[in-house]
Amino acid sequence: MRFTLKQLRYYDAALRTGSIAKAAIEMNISQSSITAALDLIEETVGQELFRRVPAKGIQPTDMGQEVGSRIAAFLKQARVFESDLMSMSGNPTGMLHVGCYAPSAPHVLPRLMKIVAEHHAAIRMELIETDLGAMPRLLNEGKIDLALTYRRTLPDAMPFLPLFRARPYALLRENSALSQQPYVTLKDLSQHPMVLLDLPSAMGYFHQIFADQGLALQVAHTTKSSSVLRGLVAAGFGNAILNICSPLDRTGGAGYIARPIKGQVQSPLFGVAYTHAARRSSLVQAMLEICENISTQGMFDDLVLNP
């Protein structure tokens, strides 16, 4: 092989970022090294793979995209191979790339990482917080090994290990009239302004919950941050709906309080998604075993607020 594994990674980075400069920063290498890798692979293939566009970075040709797809698949297998070699002593060892839906990350990741550290100290985790729509693509491209996400946004054929069913709950301004009730209904919420998470797949889901009961939302504000959402609720700009309930949501004291939603309501499964190829990795196997055990033990039960 005329090129090295590192050079394949340089090509992959250039294709993903669309820029030699950005790829060099990501890979912590000089721009000339990125350019040399692109030139060598282009020479090997015998066709133009990238077009250099002034002030716009680089744009792959159709052949460049095809070569990039094959390189990504190869790098995915190389990472599995590397972790398996490192784990031949019997203890899973290496870097595990984990994607997590950003709003759920503060509540799920620390617990999971603590258990992994206790049982498999040689496993290191690189975390990528992203939106629901990006998870399948990142998994299929081998950019992540596992995804902590909702089942409803994944292809039917993608393997998935459920951790808990995330029943939605209402987040209300503390000391408001609704917060004095032990629970609320969707009809109650539909009569007041709402603050929604403006993230791919999330907005449609919240609207659908109400539409299922012939109700409509009064959207007062939207935000991409669950922290900002909580702040807006506390300031009285509207109520909100979330799926993962933190301890602070239950206890109050920060200006907002959680209340369960009574009645039938779409309650998506939250869990671990992966690919059949990644399942062969000893790291992924170890992680799935841990997730299955802690789910059985009910470690995430306190994140669900039932009526």
Side-chain angles (χ1 to χ4, degrees):
M1 190 163 63
R2 298 181 58 196
F3 35 80
T4 66
L5 187 60
K6 281 186 177 181
Q7 288 174 317
L8 293 179
R9 288 175 175 146
Y10 297 164
Y11 185 103
D12 179 68
L15 181 63
R16 285 187 291 101
T17 61
S19 165
I20 290 175
K22 291 179 181 178
I25 293 173
E26 178 180 314
M27 302 304 297
N28 193 28
I29 199 71
S30 67
Q31 292 188 35
S32 60
S33 295
I34 302 291
T35 300
L38 299 185
D39 290 343
L40 179 58
I41 295 173
E42 201 166 54
E43 180 183 337
T44 302
V45 175
Q47 291 193 41
E48 182 184 34
L49 303 180
F50 286 96
R51 297 188 180 94
R52 278 68 167 177
V53 182
K56 292 186 178 181
I58 53 176
Q59 294 182 352
T61 62
D62 289 343
M63 180 61 70
Q65 286 283 14
E66 178 62 27
V67 169
S69 296
R70 299 194 181 196
I71 287 176
F74 177 79
L75 291 176
K76 179 179 180 180
Q77 293 300 319
R79 192 165 69 244
V80 172
F81 174 69
E82 181 180 23
S83 68
D84 285 346
L85 281 183
M86 296 172 66
S87 303
M88 288 183 67
S89 63
N91 297 316
T93 304
M95 177 70 75
L96 191 67
H97 302 264
V98 180
C100 188
Y101 180 46
S104 66
H107 313 294
V108 177
L109 274 175
R111 304 180 186 201
L112 190 55
M113 291 177 68
K114 183 177 180 180
I115 298 296
V116 172
E118 291 173 352
H119 290 79
H120 299 290
I123 294 181
R124 294 169 294 141
M125 294 175 65
E126 180 181 86
L127 308 176
I128 300 175
E129 295 182 42
T130 186
D131 60 68
L132 296 174
M135 296 293 190
R137 175 180 57 80
L138 293 174
L139 285 166
N140 287 324
E141 292 178 356
K143 302 298 189 302
I144 56 177
D145 304 302
L146 298 168
L148 295 165
T149 186
Y150 288 101
R151 180 71 184 91
R152 64 182 178 81
T153 60
L154 300 172
D156 291 340
M158 180 164 281
F160 181 81
L161 173 65
L163 294 178
F164 59 92
R165 187 170 291 281
R167 182 182 175 89
Y169 67 96
L171 196 67
L172 313 170
R173 181 172 60 84
E174 204 168 10
N175 299 321
S176 65
L178 280 183
S179 71
Q180 307 308 306
Q181 303 175 185
Y183 59 81
V184 297
T185 65
L186 291 178
K187 185 176 181 180
D188 291 334
L189 295 173
S190 70
Q191 297 171 5
H192 298 271
M194 298 289 292
V195 181
L196 295 187
L197 278 178
D198 184 14
L199 295 171
S201 298
M203 185 78 76
Y205 163 70
F206 292 129
H207 277 281
Q208 188 61 50
I209 287 176
F210 285 81
D212 287 344
Q213 296 192 15
L215 301 170
L217 279 167
Q218 298 182 43
V219 182
H221 298 279
T222 63
T223 174
K224 298 184 182 301
S225 166
S226 56
S227 296
V228 172
L229 179 143
R230 286 176 166 86
L232 290 173
V233 172
F237 287 99
N239 302 312
I241 291 182
L242 294 171
N243 291 84
I244 296 182
C245 188
S246 74
L248 188 58
D249 292 347
R250 295 171 181 266
T251 58
Y256 52 81
I257 189 77
R259 289 289 180 262
I261 298 174
K262 188 177 182 180
Q264 290 291 111
V265 59
Q266 288 188 41
S267 304
L269 284 171
F270 187 90
V272 186
Y274 55 98
T275 64
H276 292 291
R279 182 68 174 81
R280 297 195 293 267
S281 164
S282 59
L283 293 179
V284 171
Q285 291 175 22
M287 190 69 159
L288 291 176
E289 182 178 345
I290 287 174
C291 289
E292 189 167 11
N293 288 338
I294 62 179
S295 176
T296 301
Q297 295 166 11
M299 181 173 288
F300 298 112
D301 288 354
D302 65 316
L303 298 179
V304 181
L305 187 61
N306 291 308

